[in-house]
Amino acid sequence: MDYRSAFQASLARVRAEGRYRVFANLRRIKGQFPRAHWRTPDGDVREVTVWCSNDYLGMGQSACVTGAMKQAIDDVGAGAGGTRNISGTTNYHVELERSLAELHDKESALLFTSGYISNQATIATLGKILPGLIIFSDALNHASMIEGVKNAGGQKHVWRHNDLAHLEELLQAAPKDAPKLIALESVYSMDGDIGPLEGVCDLAEKYGALTYLDEVHAVGLYGLRGGGIAEREGLMDRFDIIEGTLGKAYGVMGGYIAADEVIVDAVRSWAPGFIFTTSLAPALAAGARASVEYLKSAHHLREQHQARAAELKQRFRDAGLPLMESETHIVPLKVGDPVLCKRMTDELLEEHGIYVQPINYPTVPRGTERMRFTPTPLHDDGMMDELVTALRAVYARHAASMVA
């Protein structure tokens, strides 16, 4: 077999569909976020403004976070030295898990190397611990949750996005005595809508199901202490497992679950994605804990964040730009074509010094390609003025193509 040709053909298919991904070579400027230096393909270095970072509050630049990380490196060095079982459990990991459990008002928490792994490993492991488990997954759940459902190995049902009536139909048809899990997200990061948390909890109680909530785009950002949408709605106690990330609002790296102690201990004891993975570096754990603890009492940052998102949405409306309305901090503009989306974002970067990545299939359905903006408290009015002016120029240039 000509293996090389097979790989080349796979890349050609992606390119032909207009969804080949090109990574921008960016270097953030410490203390000037969201400014960054972009190294062009020609080797030039230009200053740009980043408009699509998931470091929603700029905590990756916070002195309390970077200071904690530097101190940890000075105290214990770089790596953890192995898996959590062998030599990779330090007091930094233990204290971070305690902080996360307390954040979500749960008995325990468990760290993973990323939010993707925490979803995939936990959901898959639940299928091994609970024979015959039937999983009910929202149609727009993240790829990591979908992968976890597949690896769980049991029966699954996909319910129409945010459609509680459809979810109940599926639950009614399932065997009453079968173990069940309902999995959903709080904030869906591409459209910016919110899952029907209370309704899901009501159905879970009615049909005897466990509840699993992905809060990765909400932790740090919603609730008086940053516990997410479940905290804001007073529902944390009704979710059996809450999953989150340390790589978005908290500005560092890693994922976690928070739950009842016996659930966490069972996942810790059975999940290959936890057992056989080198643990987070102590510096990462130290920085993440500093961020979590700081944001528990920094509600003003959440208020500023929401105000900036609302301001950008209004500016887009006033400018006649194709805003895809959302109820959260996610601010998408519709393009509807993958090739055009890539071309427009290239022009924003090359001509206007504005960095935003095209969002194409499979991240979003075909025909809904978009630019996704994530304003932070550090995006000021001047930056918004520059962005709107650039967007109006780029959209005007391609108006005929979009109509066609």
Side-chain angles (χ1 to χ4, degrees), residues 311-326:
E311 174 68 19
L312 186 62
K313 290 176 186 178
Q314 190 57 52
R315 289 182 181 232
F316 284 175
R317 294 187 196 103
D318 293 344
L321 294 167
L323 174 68
M324 302 170 72
E325 294 287 352
S326 77

Side-chain angles (χ1 to χ4, degrees), residues 334-370:
K334 187 173 182 180
V335 177
D337 176 85
V339 175
L340 185 57
C341 196
K342 178 66 168 63
R343 185 179 303 137
M344 292 172 72
T345 55
D346 283 349
E347 291 173 6
L348 286 169
L349 181 61
E350 294 163 5
E351 299 175 17
H352 301 277
I354 288 169
Y355 174 69
V356 58
Q357 269 293 77
I359 305 295
N360 294 334
Y361 177 85
T363 306
V364 295
R366 289 185 173 91
T368 69
E369 291 82 5
R370 67 200 66 179

Side-chain angles (χ1 to χ4, degrees), residues 35 51 307-312 315 376-389:
R35 302 293 191 190
W51 275 99
R308 289 282 83 190
E311 174 68 19
L312 186 62
R315 289 182 181 232
T376 73
L378 300 173
H379 285 89
D380 60 30
D381 287 346
M383 294 175 186
M384 290 190 180
D385 291 339
E386 294 169 358
L387 175 62
V388 171
T389 298

Side-chain angles (χ1 to χ4, degrees), residues 24-29 32-38 46-55 349 352-357 372-376 378-380 383 386-387:
N25 186 342
L26 297 173
R27 181 175 178 175
R28 298 203 294 182
I29 305 171
Q32 298 182 43
F33 182 78
R35 302 293 191 190
H37 286 134
W38 169 50
R46 295 165 52 187
E47 186 171 307
V48 300
T49 303
V50 177
W51 275 99
C52 56
S53 174
N54 286 339
D55 187 356
L349 181 61
H352 301 277
I354 288 169
Y355 174 69
V356 58
Q357 269 293 77
R372 171 185 174 273
F373 297 89
T374 53
T376 73
L378 300 173
H379 285 89
D380 60 30
M383 294 175 186
E386 294 169 358
L387 175 62

Side-chain angles (χ1 to χ4, degrees), residues 39-308:
R39 186 173 294 276
T40 73
D42 296 331
D44 296 332
V45 177
R46 295 165 52 187
E47 186 171 307
V48 300
T49 303
V50 177
W51 275 99
C52 56
S53 174
N54 286 339
D55 187 356
Y56 292 128
L57 302 176
M59 290 301 293
Q61 304 279 299
S62 172
C64 76
V65 174
T66 58
M69 296 178 73
K70 290 175 183 176
Q71 187 62 56
I73 289 175
D74 288 343
D75 289 345
V76 301
T83 64
R84 289 288 296 275
N85 179 58
I86 293 175
S87 61
T89 295
T90 71
N91 191 56
Y92 299 102
H93 300 86
V94 174
E95 290 298 320
L96 175 54
E97 287 172 338
R98 287 175 181 165
S99 291
L100 293 167
E102 194 272 338
L103 173 67
H104 295 290
D105 199 21
K106 298 295 185 185
E107 291 180 350
S108 189
L110 187 67
L111 286 173
F112 293 83
T113 50
S114 72
Y116 188 103
I117 297 299
S118 55
N119 268 335
Q120 187 276 330
T122 300
I123 295 174
T125 300
L126 292 175
K128 306 300 186 294
I129 295 173
L130 301 168
L133 177 67
I134 304 173
I135 301 178
F136 300 82
S137 179
D138 185 281
L140 293 189
N141 277 345
H142 190 264
S144 57
M145 300 174 77
I146 295 171
E147 193 67 19
V149 172
K150 289 179 180 177
N151 291 342
Q155 189 180 153
K156 68 176 185 296
H157 296 286
V158 178
W159 46 291
R160 289 188 294 270
H161 179 54
N162 281 358
D163 189 336
L164 290 174
H166 186 223
L167 173 58
E168 184 160 22
E169 287 177 19
L170 296 171
L171 288 164
Q172 283 177 332
K176 290 184 178 180
D177 58 348
K180 305 172 185 70
L181 176 76
I182 304 174
L184 75 159
E185 298 183 39
S186 58
V187 173
Y188 288 85
S189 64
M190 291 299 124
D191 293 323
D193 57 338
I194 293 175
L197 274 61
E198 185 172 15
V200 164
C201 291
D202 291 342
L203 289 176
E205 290 182 6
K206 183 175 179 180
Y207 293 96
L210 290 171
T211 47
Y212 185 100
L213 181 64
D214 176 318
E215 289 259 38
V216 296
H217 289 276
V219 288
L221 302 176
Y222 296 88
L224 284 176
R225 302 168 71 249
I229 299 295
E231 184 197 16
R232 188 186 74 175
E233 304 299 324
L235 297 170
M236 287 196 298
D237 63 318
R238 299 186 68 187
F239 281 95
D240 296 294
I241 302 172
I242 294 176
E243 184 267 349
T245 184
L246 303 166
K248 293 182 171 53
Y250 293 119
V252 189
M253 180 183 176
Y256 66 89
I257 60 168
D260 176 275
E261 185 175 5
V262 70
I263 292 176
V264 170
D265 200 15
V267 173
R268 182 187 71 88
S269 300
W270 282 93
F274 171 82
I275 295 170
F276 299 106
T277 301
T278 298
S279 65
L280 289 173
L284 292 173
R289 182 171 185 263
S291 187
V292 170
E293 289 302 311
Y294 176 78
L295 287 179
K296 285 178 180 178
S297 60
H299 192 60
H300 65 284
L301 276 183
R302 286 182 278 278
E303 293 176 329
Q304 292 171 15
H305 181 234
Q306 290 296 315
R308 289 282 83 190

